[in-house]
Amino acid sequence: MILTTGSVEETREAGARFAKKISSGDVIVLDGGLGCGKTEFVRGIVESLNRTVIVRSPSFSIVNSYPCGTINLYHFDFYRIEKASELDEIGFSEYCNNDGACIIEWGLMFPEVLPLNAVIIKFSDSGDGKRQIELPFEI
Amino acid sequence: MITLGIESSCDETSIALLEDERIIRNKIFSQQEHSLFGGVVPEIASRAHLDKIDRLTISVLNEASIKIGDIDLISVTDSPGLAGALLVGISFALGIHTASGIPITGINHLEGHICSVFFEHPQLRYPFLALVVSGGHTAIYKIIATGQYECLGETVDDAAGEAFDKVGKLLGFAYPAGRAIEQTAASVENSSNPISFPIAQVSKIPGLNFSFSGLKTAVKYYTSSKDDAFILDNRPRICAAFQNAVIESLVNNLWKASEQTGISDVALVGGVACNGALRSALKNRFNNRVYFPIPSLCTDNAAMIALAGYYRNQNGLSRFPRLDPSSSL
C-alpha cells in the first residue's frame, strides 16, 4: 500500500500503525534519501511501544537499541558504512537472529547482508512537506 | 603518578600515557599508522580495534620508555559507544589489571571530553557549563565537581556534527564534511542577502534541547529547488547560512543555560569544538569566559580518558569498568 503523510506527526502516526505488525525476528529496511521521514517513522514505531525512550539518529552510532516491552528494537543506519565486511565485524547477523526486530535505515546499500524475508519500505519526498511511504502490505 | 588511558568507543583506537596531568604520549590510530601495521583496517570494526590495541600500547610504552610495572592507574572508556568496540578496550584493560594488579577505573566517554579542557586550562574552576558537540553528541552539561554532572539539554534527533556531515553530502563534500563547510562558509564574499534557514526549530523544542533534523531537511528543500550550477556558485552562501543556524542554536541554548544556572564559565568540547566560527561566536557572547581544548584534543583520544581517570582516582571516585549491553552512543 502507498501512504501519503502531510506532516512529521502523520509520519510518526504511520510508524505507530506499522509497529503493531512487528514481531521478534523481523528485519525491516527503510529505503529513501536524506530528510524523507525514515527516522520520524522509527520514532513513531518506538514511541508507540515505549513512551520513555528518545529515538535519535543512529547515523554515527550505527545501531541504537530500544527495549520495547516484550521485544527489543535495534535501530540501524548503514549510512556511514563503507563495506559489507564492517557489518560482519559489528555482529550484524547476530542482531538479525536475536530476541528482537531490526529496523535499518539505508539498508539497501548492502542488500547482500539482508535476509530474504526482509520487509522493504520505500520513502520518498513528494513536495510541499509531503512524504510518500510505500509498504509491501496493508497497515 | 602514571596513568594509562585506553579509548575504543567508536572509530578511533587511542592509547595515552599521562604523568599526573601532563601528557607523555597520546597516540590515535589513524591513516598514518595503517602503513606501519600493513594494510588499511575498516574504521568502525571492533576487530580492527582488537587488531591494533596491543601494538599501539606497546609502541606508546616503548616510545615513552615506560614499563607496564611503572603504571599506577588504568583508565578505560566503558560507555557510551558501540558495544563491540567498547568491549575490546575494556577487556584489554581488565587483562592488564588482572595480570598486574594495577588499579583500574571505567570512564564515561563524555566525561573524558569534558576533562579535555583542563589540559589547556587547569585554572578552570567548578561549577562550569560544558557544551559537548560531536558527530554523535550534542548536549549541555552542568559540571558540579569531579564525576558530578547534570544534563541540562541534548539533541532530540540528529547531532550537530551529523548535520554538518549530511548537509555536506547534499552539497557534494566528502565525509566528514565539517572542515569543508567551515572553510567554504568563510569564503562568502557578500554577506548581504543571506539565505535564511530555520534556527533548528528552536521554538518547537522544549527547554534546552536541540533539534537539527528540520534544518537538514530545510537545506535539502533549498538545494533541490535549485539547479546544480546555482548550488555550486552559491555553496559559500548555503554553507554560511547553515553553519550560522547551527551556531545560533548552540549559542542561544548555552546562553539560556547560563542565565538559568547563574554560571558564566563555559567549556566547548568534542569534535565540532574545532569549528572556528563557533569558537568566535561563543567568545563574543560569553565575554571570553569560554574555554576550548587544543584542536588535536577535541576529537576522540585516550589522553582525555586518562585525565578523567586521574581526577577520579585523586578524589577517591574510581569505579570498576562495566559494559552495559544496550550501550549506544
Side-chain angles (χ1 to χ4, degrees), chain B residues 234-279:
Chain B
N234 287 278
R235 270 209 312 206
R237 283 176 70 227
I238 301 169
C239 288
F242 161 76
Q243 181 174 266
N244 287 343
V246 173
I247 290 174
E248 200 168 331
S249 162
L250 294 171
V251 174
N252 281 350
N253 277 13
L254 193 58
W255 182 254
K256 277 195 269 175
S258 172
E259 285 185 330
Q260 283 176 18
T261 57
I263 296 171
S264 36
D265 284 321
V266 300
L268 172 66
V269 300
V272 181
C274 295
N275 185 292
L278 175 58
R279 289 184 174 217

Side-chain angles (χ1 to χ4, degrees), chain B residues 198-216:
Chain B
I199 13 169
Q201 299 179 308
V202 166
S203 57
K204 282 193 192 169
I205 304 300
L208 298 171
N209 286 340
F210 300 97
S211 166
F212 296 105
S213 178
L215 175 61
K216 169 189 74 188

Side-chain angles (χ1 to χ4, degrees), chain A residues 34-36 39-40 43 54-65 77 79-81 83 85-86 88-90 95 106 125 127-131, chain B residues 10-11 42-48 82-83 135-136 154-158 162 165-167 169-170 175 213 216-217 220-221 300 325-329:
Chain A
L34 283 175
C36 280
T39 307
E40 290 302 340
R43 190 165 283 128
I54 295 180
V55 173
R56 295 196 183 84
S57 166
S59 296
F60 192 77
S61 57
I62 314 294
V63 56
N64 293 341
S65 308
D77 190 336
Y79 185 78
R80 218 162 62 85
I81 305 273
K83 314 193 261 294
S85 61
E86 296 176 8
D88 288 345
E89 304 205 2
I90 62 167
Y95 284 94
W106 298 93
D125 189 331
D128 294 334
K130 292 198 174 73
R131 302 287 186 274
Chain B
C10 193
D11 293 3
E43 284 306 304
I44 62 160
S46 33
R47 199 173 303 157
L82 283 167
E154 59 189 322
T155 182
V156 297
D157 42 52
D158 297 359
E162 176 182 350
D165 291 333
K166 289 192 169 168
V167 164
K169 179 149 185 168
L170 291 171
Y175 176 95
S213 178
K216 169 189 74 188
T217 307
K220 188 190 83 162
Y221 276 131
D300 292 353
S326 66
S327 214
S328 66
L329 284 166

Side-chain angles (χ1 to χ4, degrees), chain A residues 1 3 13-19 21 41 133 135 137-139:
Chain A
M1 76 179 293
L3 285 173
E13 173 57 29
R17 277 160 60 197
F18 180 79
K21 306 276 182 182
F41 188 80
I133 306 172
L135 298 120
F137 45 72
E138 301 282 317
I139 57 167

Side-chain angles (χ1 to χ4, degrees), chain B residues 14-301:
Chain B
S14 178
I15 298 291
L17 280 171
L18 256 54
E19 183 172 14
D20 295 338
E21 294 161 82
R22 186 181 66 85
I23 298 174
I24 305 173
R25 279 287 184 282
N26 180 34
K27 272 190 120 171
I28 300 158
F29 193 97
S30 61
Q31 205 61 39
Q32 293 96 297
E33 274 98 30
H34 279 147
S35 57
L36 189 68
F37 295 116
V40 174
V41 187
E43 284 306 304
I44 62 160
S46 33
R47 199 173 303 157
H49 287 296
L50 189 59
D51 203 39
K52 52 206 180 190
I53 198 164
D54 55 343
R55 284 179 287 180
L56 197 59
T57 306
I58 290 165
S59 81
V60 163
L61 290 170
N62 286 347
E63 282 175 23
S65 302
I66 284 174
K67 294 187 292 295
I68 294 266
D70 300 331
I71 298 168
D72 301 295
L73 175 70
I74 303 162
S75 181
V76 61
T77 308
D78 65 354
S79 66
L82 283 167
L86 286 167
L87 188 61
V88 172
I90 297 172
S91 306
F92 184 70
L94 285 175
I96 301 175
H97 163 76
T98 308
S100 64
I102 298 166
I104 189 166
T105 184
I107 291 293
N108 179 295
H109 180 77
L110 300 181
E111 183 175 339
H113 270 302
I114 291 161
C115 285
S116 67
V117 77
F118 288 115
F119 284 117
E120 192 81 352
H121 304 285
Q123 78 282 14
L124 179 60
R125 291 286 168 263
Y126 299 111
F128 61 92
L129 297 175
L131 175 61
V132 184
V133 226
S134 67
H137 303 278
T138 305
I140 297 173
Y141 288 89
K142 178 181 171 186
I143 317 299
I144 302 151
T146 302
Q148 268 189 60
Y149 312 95
E150 185 187 334
C151 182
L152 303 178
E154 59 189 322
T155 182
V156 297
D157 42 52
D158 297 359
E162 176 182 350
F164 269 89
D165 291 333
K166 289 192 169 168
V167 164
K169 179 149 185 168
L170 291 171
L171 298 174
F173 294 116
Y175 176 95
R179 186 167 295 174
I181 288 182
E182 183 186 356
Q183 285 169 349
T184 309
S187 73
V188 72
E189 282 163 5
N190 182 359
S191 57
S192 64
N193 184 27
I195 304 165
S196 171
F197 293 127
I199 13 169
Q201 299 179 308
V202 166
S203 57
K204 282 193 192 169
I205 304 300
L208 298 171
N209 286 340
F210 300 97
S211 166
F212 296 105
S213 178
L215 175 61
K216 169 189 74 188
T217 307
V219 177
K220 188 190 83 162
Y221 276 131
Y222 184 83
T223 53
S224 63
S225 69
K226 311 284 184 201
D227 60 50
D228 291 352
F230 178 92
I231 291 170
L232 204 58
D233 285 349
N234 287 278
R235 270 209 312 206
R237 283 176 70 227
I238 301 169
C239 288
F242 161 76
Q243 181 174 266
N244 287 343
V246 173
I247 290 174
E248 200 168 331
S249 162
L250 294 171
V251 174
N252 281 350
N253 277 13
L254 193 58
W255 182 254
K256 277 195 269 175
S258 172
E259 285 185 330
Q260 283 176 18
T261 57
I263 296 171
S264 36
D265 284 321
V266 300
L268 172 66
V269 300
V272 181
C274 295
N275 185 292
L278 175 58
R279 289 184 174 217
S280 330
L282 283 173
K283 273 190 206 159
N284 288 339
R285 194 71 179 265
F286 287 87
N287 278 329
N288 292 322
R289 291 186 72 171
V290 50
Y291 304 86
F292 319 105
I294 57 169
S296 64
L297 293 172
C298 287
T299 46
D300 292 353
N301 67 84

